[in-house]
Amino acid sequence: MRTVDAPDVVVVGSLNFDYIAGVERLPMPGETIAAYSLIRRFGGKGANQAVAAARQGARVAIIGCVGADKQGEAYCETITR
């Protein structure tokens, strides 16, 4: 018997922040280039798979770890909305 709250999909995977730096060009080996922008996005292969399944209408549960810091709290708040 299936309960109402049971997920359709359970994902075991990573949850992390992606940092995307905007640069004028790719650096040469050993070269440092200053970024003109920095974007922070929620990411991780597990989280991305869970979002994709949810967008297709599945009820999704995810099993993963986040840090015990402000970023981890922000991640948990975002995925439980």
Side-chain angles (χ1 to χ4, degrees):
M1 183 169 124
R2 185 173 183 188
T3 64
V4 175
D5 296 326
D8 298 313
V9 176
V10 177
V11 176
V12 179
S14 60
L15 302 102
N16 56 268
F17 277 99
D18 295 332
Y19 289 87
I20 305 159
V23 295
E24 293 292 328
R25 61 179 176 79
L26 293 176
M28 300 298 291
E31 181 182 22
T32 299
I33 296 178
Y36 59 81
S37 67
L38 182 65
I39 300 169
R40 185 179 75 170
R41 298 271 189 252
F42 295 102
K45 288 212 181 266
N48 293 342
Q49 290 175 350
V51 168
R55 286 182 177 168
Q56 294 298 314
R59 289 180 306 232
V60 180
I62 186 163
I63 300 170
C65 293
V66 296
D69 55 10
K70 294 286 185 192
Q71 290 179 335
E73 290 174 18
Y75 211 120
C76 289
E77 289 174 18
T78 299
I79 63 173
T80 57
R81 285 190 223 163

